[in-house]
């Protein structure tokens, strides 16, 4: 016996940050929303260090900074510190001028405990009347580029006016169904992470790196997600991890060996044995044309932004806000206009390109690092990144003219990073050649 068909205004596939944020915005607008997600109560996610645009996006969902701090969902992120293997330390903090008129930017930002944040958003979700379904979508019925209905593993048949894909980068349900093109940046990477109890209270993100010449960067993060709990992760290219695995090392051994190279973690590892690391493999990039006649894609399902940028959570929340607004504006029409769909897709694509290209050209690959030093390269990257998030939140580039203008700025900055990388590479080769002739 088949289950009775389920009809709702909007169906969201995926219950991560992007999915829940979309559901909350749409439910607040008075639409009936169904969120389909497997194991809603059991999920593990990283992306705990937020950039300076995220607090306002969380506030728009009903979570103020004061509430997040007082309820132990978040801790303060007052700076980013880079520590190199030679003992040198560099600090990155937004300029105080950003907090003054006319910018009036909230200079405080946060780290979040993703489990506690998800629980808080789930509470808001239920208060807004969103229906949660613990199930998996197995079939998508479509007519050309339009989604007609969904069928779940449990046999539920769902029809809606609009559909939102928030399934995450590992699934990307609709992009793969419609064979959307994926633009890739850098090699496939692997992140290994775990959590440690500490005695002191930290209020900043710390990054550890070697920055060896002529090498692809690997790095370690330390993020205080609670007052006495830190998230510690190791990110390296898939090729590096594969080579160590072929040497017979387990994932836990790789993680432990890398952390033992950093004095900060040596006493923590001595008091905790064994250490079990969680692992995820990812490929940074972005899908094109992520908005169809009655569907769109948000968050990591649309674009995977490198974790070093601290923009994953911001992108998820911003996508959700924009997608919800687009659905509301298109409700009477019953479908997205081609122009609105194209502009939404272009904004998401260009933002993902900007962050991923910048971090690859200026930080991960060696020419710029070798020429000006990793700490200066970090400044060259972070200042435009902060400003672009600021301009995006202030400009609200959703119309044709503003979208075109903003995308041109992003493309110009991306071109500048590529040119700088090329020039530094040429300079490095010239210097090597001259040394060779001299010897």
């Amino acid at each position: 016996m088949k289950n009775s068909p389920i009809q709702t205004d909007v169906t969201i596939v995926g219950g991560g940050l992007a999915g829940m944020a979309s559901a909350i915005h749409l439910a607040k607008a008075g639409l009936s929303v169904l969120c389909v997600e497997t194991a809603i109560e059991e999920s593990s996610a990283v992306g705990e260090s937020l950039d300076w645009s995220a607090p306002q996006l969380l506030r728009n969902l009903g979570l103020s900074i004061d509430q997040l701090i007082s309820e132990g969902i978040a801790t303060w992120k007052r700076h980013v510190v880079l520590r190199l293997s030679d003992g040198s330390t560099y600090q990155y903090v937004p300029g105080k001028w950003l907090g003054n008129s006319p910018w009036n930017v909230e200079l405080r930002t946060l780290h979040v405990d993703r489990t506690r944040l998800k629980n808080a958003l789930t509470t808001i979700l239920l208060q807004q009347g969103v229906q949660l379904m613990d199930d998996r979508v197995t079939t998508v019925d479509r007519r050309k580029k339009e989604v007609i209905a969904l069928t779940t593993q449990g046999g539920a048949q769902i029809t809606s006016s609009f559909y939102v894909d928030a399934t995450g980068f590992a699934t990307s349900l609709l992009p793969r169904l419609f064979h959307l093109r994926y633009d890739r940046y850098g090699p496939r990477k692997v992140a290994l992470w775990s959590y440690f109890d500490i005695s002191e209270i930290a209020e900043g993100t710390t990054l550890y790196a070697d920055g060896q010449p002529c090498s692809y960067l690997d790095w370690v993060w330390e993020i205080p997600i609670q007052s006495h709990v830190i998230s510690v992760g190791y990110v390296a290219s898939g090729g590096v991890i594969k080579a160590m695995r072929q040497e017979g090392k387990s994932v836990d051994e790789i993680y432990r060996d890398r952390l033992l190279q950093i004095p900060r973690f040596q006493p923590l590892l001595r008091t905790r044995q064994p250490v079990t690391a969680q692992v995820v493999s990812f490929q940074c990039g972005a899908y094109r044309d992520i908005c169809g006649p009655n569907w769109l894609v948000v968050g990591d399902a649309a674009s995977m932004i490198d974790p070093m940028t601290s923009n994953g959570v911001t992108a998820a929340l911003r996508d959700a806000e924009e997608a919800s607004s687009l659905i509301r504006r298109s409700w009477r029409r019953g479908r997205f206009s081609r122009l609105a769909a194209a502009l939404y897709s272009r904004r998401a694509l260009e933002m993902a390109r900007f962050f991923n290209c910048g971090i690859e050209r200026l930080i991960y690959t060696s020419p710029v690092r070798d020429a000006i030093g990793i700490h200066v390269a970090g400044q060259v990257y972070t200042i435009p990144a902060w400003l672009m998030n600021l301009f995006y939140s202030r400009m609200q580039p959703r119309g044709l003219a503003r979208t075109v203008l903003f995308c041109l700025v992003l493309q110009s900055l991306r071109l500048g990073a590529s040119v700088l990388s090329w020039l530094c590479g040429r300079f490095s080769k010239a210097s090597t050649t001259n040394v060779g002739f001299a010897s």
Side-chain angles (χ1 to χ4, degrees):
M1 181 177 176
K2 291 186 177 181
N3 295 333
S4 300
I6 299 172
Q7 292 186 329
T8 185
D9 292 335
V10 184
T11 296
I12 298 171
V13 186
L17 290 185
M20 287 192 295
S22 299
I24 291 169
H25 286 305
L26 290 166
K28 284 183 176 181
L31 302 179
S32 62
V33 183
L34 171 66
C35 185
V36 183
E37 167 71 304
T38 56
I40 290 172
E41 299 298 331
E42 299 177 5
S43 63
S44 177
V46 287
E48 297 142 330
S49 183
L50 310 187
D51 75 57
W52 276 258
S53 302
Q56 180 59 51
L57 294 168
L58 289 168
R59 190 178 295 115
N60 295 344
L61 293 169
L63 293 171
S64 68
I65 287 182
D66 292 339
Q67 179 184 351
L68 291 166
I69 293 292
S70 64
E71 295 182 4
I73 300 169
T75 62
W76 290 114
K77 175 183 173 181
R78 302 191 186 277
H79 52 254
V80 176
V81 174
L82 172 65
R83 298 188 185 277
L84 303 182
S85 57
D86 62 5
S88 55
T89 300
Y90 305 93
Q91 188 172 114
Y92 301 90
V93 181
K96 292 184 179 179
W97 59 271
L98 284 171
N100 300 326
S101 179
W103 308 110
N104 300 315
V105 176
E106 172 60 78
L107 297 182
R108 301 175 301 172
T109 191
L110 307 168
H111 317 98
V112 291
D113 182 322
R114 287 291 295 269
T115 299
R116 293 187 177 186
L117 177 60
K118 184 167 186 176
N119 291 339
L121 289 174
T122 300
T123 299
I124 297 173
L125 198 84
L126 295 173
Q127 290 172 346
Q128 294 297 326
V130 176
Q131 181 182 354
L132 297 179
M133 177 182 290
D134 187 354
D135 209 338
R136 182 189 302 275
V137 172
T138 55
T139 305
V140 179
D141 296 330
R142 54 176 173 155
R143 184 188 301 117
K144 294 183 179 180
K145 286 289 187 177
E146 185 176 1
V147 174
I148 304 301
L150 306 176
T151 304
T152 70
Q153 191 173 47
Q157 296 181 347
I158 305 166
T159 59
S160 299
S161 299
F162 291 94
Y163 300 86
V164 178
D165 181 355
T167 53
F169 71 90
T171 303
S172 295
L173 178 67
L174 296 182
R176 296 186 183 188
L177 175 71
F178 290 108
H179 305 290
L180 302 184
R181 176 177 168 179
Y182 192 71
D183 294 344
R184 293 172 171 80
Y185 294 91
R188 179 167 287 278
K189 298 185 181 76
V190 176
L192 314 174
W193 76 96
S194 189
Y195 301 92
F196 295 84
D197 295 327
I198 58 172
S199 57
E200 71 276 15
I201 298 176
E203 292 191 334
T205 294
T206 305
L207 307 180
Y208 302 84
D210 290 327
Q212 295 295 327
C214 302
S215 65
Y216 194 80
L217 187 74
D218 71 350
W219 57 286
V220 171
W221 78 67
E222 177 187 342
I223 301 170
I225 63 169
Q226 298 174 26
S227 59
H228 296 285
V229 178
I230 57 173
S231 165
V232 180
Y234 168 44
V235 178
S237 68
V240 168
I241 299 298
K242 181 179 179 180
M244 288 190 281
R245 293 285 286 146
Q246 290 176 339
E247 293 174 0
K249 290 186 177 181
S250 68
V251 167
D252 294 343
E253 288 172 333
I254 293 171
Y255 177 73
R256 186 180 182 85
D257 288 350
R258 181 64 182 92
L259 264 56
L260 282 172
Q261 298 174 27
I262 302 172
R264 156 71 167 157
F265 302 116
Q266 291 170 3
L268 296 178
L269 291 168
R270 283 197 296 267
T271 58
R272 178 179 165 186
Q273 293 186 6
V275 174
T276 301
Q278 300 183 58
V279 58
V280 64
S281 174
F282 59 94
Q283 172 71 69
C284 294
Y287 282 103
R288 300 189 181 192
D289 304 319
I290 56 171
C291 189
N294 68 334
W295 56 267
L296 43 73
V297 191
V298 296
D300 289 348
S303 58
M304 180 64 201
I305 300 178
D306 193 275
M308 189 184 287
T309 69
S310 296
N311 267 274
V313 170
T314 298
L317 299 177
R318 185 165 51 215
D319 284 358
E321 203 167 85
E322 289 200 28
S324 304
S325 175
L326 181 55
I327 290 173
R328 295 195 303 270
R329 297 198 310 270
S330 305
W331 186 253
R332 290 186 179 180
R333 180 187 177 97
R335 59 192 292 119
F336 302 124
S337 70
R338 290 187 178 182
L339 177 60
L343 294 179
Y344 172 81
S345 298
R346 178 55 58 177
R347 289 191 297 269
L349 177 64
E350 291 298 340
M351 284 293 277
R353 281 176 167 176
F354 168 73
F355 285 109
N356 283 327
C357 178
I359 207 76
E360 285 292 331
R361 296 291 189 184
L362 302 177
I363 307 296
Y364 274 109
T365 55
S366 62
V368 176
R369 288 196 339 251
D370 293 350
I372 63 178
I374 186 172
H375 61 290
V376 179
Q379 291 176 332
V380 172
Y381 168 78
T382 54
I383 292 173
W386 281 334
L387 290 175
M388 286 307 99
N389 271 328
L390 168 63
F391 290 153
Y392 200 106
S393 61
R394 293 299 168 86
M395 284 180 62
Q396 295 290 312
R398 297 182 184 177
L400 176 60
R402 290 188 177 187
T403 297
V404 170
L405 176 61
F406 190 74
C407 289
L408 285 174
V409 173
L410 291 176
Q411 290 167 7
S412 298
L413 290 170
R414 186 156 48 92
L415 177 61
S418 298
V419 170
L420 178 60
S421 178
W422 179 80
L423 289 174
C424 289
R426 294 280 293 182
F427 175 78
S428 176
K429 290 180 181 178
S431 299
T432 302
T433 301
N434 291 336
V435 170
F437 283 139
S439 59

